[in-house]
Amino acid sequence: MSATVDQQAFRGALSRFASGVTVVSTVLDGVDHAMTASAFTSVSLDPPLVLVCSHKTSRFHDAVLESGTWGVSILSDEGRAASAWFAHRGRPLEDQLQGIRFHRGASGVALLDESLAWLECTTHAVHDGGDHTILVGSVVGAGVRDDVDDPLLYYRSHYGTIVRSPESEKTIGEASAP
């Protein structure tokens, strides 16, 4: 039995899940394609797998399916403008990286410099996800920046970063142990 879910309540509930922000990129026939994605997560440590969801009607979608190679830039707080730019539908495809600081990974994908970390992936599996496609990637390269530590977060259509607490999953667990 399926129930009709109120779309406004559904969107409202999902907007209350704070997430990190990534820019996912690919290159096809010498043309860069990129999109902002908060629908990104780790899947497995062994083997190293991650996933990202891409809207089926986006330009990025068909390009990444055809290329089979993609990069993930896990944005730092300084990457707000890049996040907003790559989230904007209808931006020009040609030269969309103009003005964005980036470097190329070993696979040739663009990796944004205003990031905490980068991953390079080859497509491991593709799954239907309604109006999105779920791309599972085998991680073939990874890198981190040690000079910044403020992640870009997204919550209820607003950007933010974290306020660190002295507690962690480890210290809270120690305090409640018998």
Side-chain angles (χ1 to χ4, degrees):
M1 176 167 89
S2 67
T4 302
V5 176
D6 178 275
Q7 287 294 308
Q8 187 173 2
F10 180 63
R11 286 177 178 264
L14 295 179
S15 75
R16 281 153 176 85
F17 181 72
S19 66
V21 182
T22 67
V23 169
V24 185
S25 59
T26 192
V27 63
L28 180 64
D29 299 328
V31 178
D32 290 298
H33 297 262
M35 69 169 194
T36 298
S38 56
F40 165 81
T41 192
S42 62
V43 174
S44 169
L45 292 176
D46 186 18
L49 300 173
V50 296
L51 74 74
V52 67
C53 297
S54 176
H55 198 279
K56 291 179 179 176
T57 63
S58 73
R59 294 183 301 209
F60 177 84
H61 180 268
D62 292 341
V64 74
L65 288 179
E66 190 171 336
S67 74
T69 303
W70 36 285
V72 180
S73 299
I74 301 171
L75 296 182
S76 69
D77 188 48
E78 65 188 11
R80 288 178 189 221
S83 171
W85 172 247
F86 290 113
H88 177 71
R89 287 186 175 264
R91 70 185 175 284
L93 181 60
E94 298 297 322
D95 299 323
Q96 66 177 307
L97 292 173
Q98 187 173 356
I100 304 289
R101 292 184 299 125
F102 70 95
H103 60 281
R104 298 269 176 202
S107 65
V109 298
L111 301 169
L112 278 58
D113 292 345
E114 295 177 328
S115 299
L116 299 171
W118 307 272
L119 301 168
E120 288 186 83
C121 304
T122 57
T123 301
H124 173 78
V126 177
H127 302 283
D128 181 58
D131 59 1
H132 282 65
T133 293
I134 303 163
L135 299 163
V136 179
S138 295
V139 178
V140 296
V144 298
R145 265 179 76 187
D146 290 323
D147 62 325
V148 294
D149 198 29
D150 293 315
L152 181 59
L153 302 179
Y154 193 68
Y155 178 76
R156 296 187 71 190
S157 301
H158 294 277
Y159 290 121
T161 193
I162 62 172
V163 176
R164 286 179 177 44
S165 170
E167 292 101 14
S168 73
E169 64 186 42
K170 294 175 185 168
T171 61
I172 291 173
E174 291 170 359
S176 63

